[in-house]
Amino acid sequence: MRRPVVGVIGNAHRIENRFTVQMVGERNLRAVAEVSGAVPLMFAGSPEITEVGALLDVVDGVVLTGARANVHPTRFNTEPCAAHEPYDIHRDDVALALSVACVARGVPIFGICRGLQEMNVAFGGSLHPEIREIPGRMNHRMPRLENGEIHPDPTVVFADRHDVALTPGGAFAKILGCETIRVNSLHGQGILEPGRRVVIEGIAEDGTIEAIRIADAPGFALGVQWHAEYDPQRNPINRALFEAFGDALRERRRAA
């Protein structure tokens, strides 16, 4: 049996403020290749280039990666604000439609950070643009230096920063073999209200939703708020998630 193929969504980006490109972080590609055992295939986060049905005829699974841009507030009936830019409305178009289509077809889908947020919005949920502004919440954004610049050391940026309590007996607890994990934290936006069929399976110490599954999905349909792609080659929690995703890919291929 040939290796399964995983579509990894791209993000709109400009190089030198002149050249428009679609970009995927290499850690996402390596996680899929080295841990899930699949061939990563980047696709454009633009509906003018990527047709969801045609894509799902080609790939065995999908990863919705993290990204700098926030999901546009109009997707969950909220007014946009310049303070919460940038947005990537074309990726919104593709990712939201893809989330629903993957679940309907039983195509394994794994949402990471923005990907979790997209899955929630796709099923009617809402987001808060700045979780740390909610009373009692911690600052989930990446660590910065005193001058405001992003910390230059990735081991500091992606260090585990808080615990997540998992639902006993839930999908994540079964995959990970425990009910409490410790994860990194690099996001401003987060889930406010869960969407239809969105089941909360992991909650941070401050109440922030960190892990979800889509109820009654015929295939793997999980999302995490942390960046699981950073170190699954070494981190046993993130490794287990990407391995479970890989198992789901192969199971679907055998059944096809």
Side-chain angles (χ1 to χ4, degrees), residues 71-92:
V71 177
H72 201 276
T74 55
R75 296 291 184 169
F76 42 94
N77 301 316
T78 302
E79 288 298 315
C81 174
H84 302 135
E85 295 176 358
Y87 300 120
D88 188 346
I89 59 174
H90 298 305
R91 169 164 165 162
D92 294 344

Side-chain angles (χ1 to χ4, degrees), residues 103 123 195-200 212-219 221:
V103 171
F123 286 92
R196 302 177 303 276
R197 298 180 64 181
V198 173
V199 179
I200 301 168
I212 64 171
R213 69 175 171 88
I214 305 302
D216 302 319

Side-chain angles (χ1 to χ4, degrees), residues 13-126:
H13 187 70
R14 288 180 69 84
I15 296 177
E16 298 176 358
N17 203 31
R18 292 186 295 168
F19 305 110
T20 302
V21 301
Q22 287 283 313
M23 180 177 69
V24 167
E26 187 171 328
R27 290 187 185 275
N28 295 285
L29 305 177
R30 288 191 175 276
V32 167
E34 298 172 3
V35 185
S36 297
V39 176
L41 178 67
M42 193 200 90
F43 64 90
S46 172
E48 296 179 355
I49 303 172
T50 299
E51 196 277 307
V52 168
L55 173 69
L56 294 185
D57 288 340
V58 174
V59 302
D60 301 296
V62 169
V63 171
L64 299 178
T65 68
R68 173 69 182 87
N70 281 337
V71 177
H72 201 276
T74 55
R75 296 291 184 169
F76 42 94
N77 301 316
T78 302
E79 288 298 315
C81 174
H84 302 135
E85 295 176 358
Y87 300 120
D88 188 346
I89 59 174
H90 298 305
R91 169 164 165 162
D92 294 344
D93 288 337
V94 175
L96 271 58
L98 194 55
S99 296
V100 175
C102 281
V103 171
R105 286 200 189 192
V107 175
I109 182 169
F110 188 17
I112 297 173
C113 199
R114 189 190 208 265
L116 166 140
Q117 297 164 8
E118 290 166 331
M119 291 171 71
N120 184 60
V121 172
F123 286 92
S126 65

